[in-house]
Amino acid sequence: MTPPATTKHAEVLIVGAGPAGLAAAGAAAKAGAQVTVLDDNAGAGGQIWRGDVSGRVPARDGARDRMLEEFRESNATLLSGRRVIDAPGPRTLRAFIEEMGSIESFTWERLILATGARERLLPFPGWTLPGVFGAGGLQALVKGGYSVAGKRVAVAGSGPLLLAVAAHLEQYGAMVVTVAEQAGLRSIVPFAARLWSHPKKLLQAVRYRAELHEVGYRTGCWPVAAEGEEKLTAVRLTDGKAVWSEPCDLLACGFHLVPNTELALMLGCELSDGCVAVDRRQRTSLEDVYCAGEPAGIAGLDAALVQGRIAGLEAANRGEEAKALYKRRDREREFGKGLDRAFAPREELRFLARAETIVCRCEDVRYGQLQDRQSWTDAKVQTRCGMGPCQGRICGPTVETLFGWRNISVRPPLFPVPVSALIDCARESSSKIA
Ligand SMILES: Cc1cc2nc3c(=O)[nH]c(=O)nc-3n(C[C@H](O)[C@H](O)[C@H](O)COP(=O)(O)OP(=O)(O)OC[C@H]3O[C@@H](n4cnc5c(N)ncnc54)[C@H](O)[C@@H]3O)c2cc1C
């Protein structure tokens, strides 16, 4: 039987135990605040430091080890396996605990949103074939035990994540046959030139290239189709002049990242340019709600860490100390803007889908059904695009890239939840009222 819903209180509640959330928790707890962190994964680390169940000893990573150590030594409490699904009242969040099948409520005095980002997926003929994965999605599956040993993998799309994923897959025994970056040299060179002022990132890029020295890295090259009958056998690539097929068993394909802003939107935080709007103190437009890391703009690990620290100190009423970090944060934010410019999707990617190509996978909505729609709402009402279990999380950013419609309506629950858990939760709430 599902246990009854419960309510817990946190002085500082943090959603997300990725680098931003951990940095915020460490800083706030060290400053004396009572901190609780909720995350839907099984452990701390977020996307980049996701736990690896393969038994392989992970490579040394100073930033990760320091951060996890600091977090362990702090008094912050991590509640894993909690997925925040709703904000039912003032200063209250609800989280679904998958393992228990129940819902837990949390009240907070200060809230930090550190919900990270996800990949942007764009449709092209064949992209729903078995064997085609999101690039970061495949990386996560491999960390979860999926074997790519001996498999030919093509990596395509856009952004620095492609190199990270390709290097990671090679370490796990895959044969990466190509890395195809849609951005052209003209956008990448100015970005790469500025890496001199970020030596750590430059070193990482050089390391990835060294690890992938036998793999071709093509810029200005993008997928136009995934080929195969029952499953993927090759990816068709183009550089805008020629089109050729690259035989492969798996295609890892993602077009940079999009911020996870749904919870912020549900709470009523203002957005700016698709990201949660924050001021110098990482404050959102809502009182006592802060945001750190990728929801405030895609800018990488260092940005997530420094923003997290600022938000944590602010939430623990140590704003004066946070001022020393502003300069570093601003530099990382500039880096993020450079990323957005360098890896912006090229116009051609908007026209890869054919009429029969599926755009919304949850509801099987095809490109041809969307072409004559006027807006996201019109598309939803007429086709059910974005109304399936992912609630537009995947097809929302896709549709925005293809048609320019932005999905800003968010409804609870943010993620699918069994009806039994919702009923138990409602019972608990009504018994309190009675
Ligand atoms: C799929 C993927 C793979 C990546 N791999 C790499 C890599 O290999 N190398 C690299 O340099 N960068 C990688 N990145 C980029 C990296 O994640 C960022 O640079 C940075 O580390 C982000 O930190 P963050 O704390 O802002 O977000 P994340 O690390 O994304 O942490 C956010 C956390 O919040 C949790 N969360 C979100 N919503 C909820 C909710 N409603 N309830 C509960 N928990 C929630 C998420 O599950 C996650 O654990 C990857 C990004 C993605 C999307």
Side-chain angles (χ1 to χ4, degrees), residues 16 19-20 39-41 47-48 82 84 114-117 139 161 294 300-301:
D39 193 282
D40 53 1
N41 284 311
Q47 299 292 359
I48 184 171
R82 262 77 169 177
V84 176
T115 48
Q139 183 193 36
L161 184 58
E294 309 282 55
L301 172 64

Side-chain angles (χ1 to χ4, degrees), residues 287-306:
E287 200 182 352
D288 293 329
V289 181
Y290 302 80
C291 180
E294 309 282 55
I298 305 301
L301 172 64
D302 296 327
L305 290 172
V306 68

Side-chain angles (χ1 to χ4, degrees), residues 295-319:
I298 305 301
L301 172 64
D302 296 327
L305 290 172
V306 68
Q307 289 179 20
R309 278 196 196 287
I310 294 173
L313 286 169
E314 286 285 349
N317 299 317
R318 293 285 185 88

Side-chain angles (χ1 to χ4, degrees), residues 191-213:
F191 171 75
R194 275 197 295 276
L195 281 184
W196 288 110
S197 56
H198 293 271
K200 239 172 69 189
K201 295 182 178 70
L202 179 64
L203 195 68
Q204 191 186 39
V206 169
R207 204 177 293 139
Y208 285 148
R209 280 307 291 136
E211 281 176 40
L212 297 165
H213 66 279

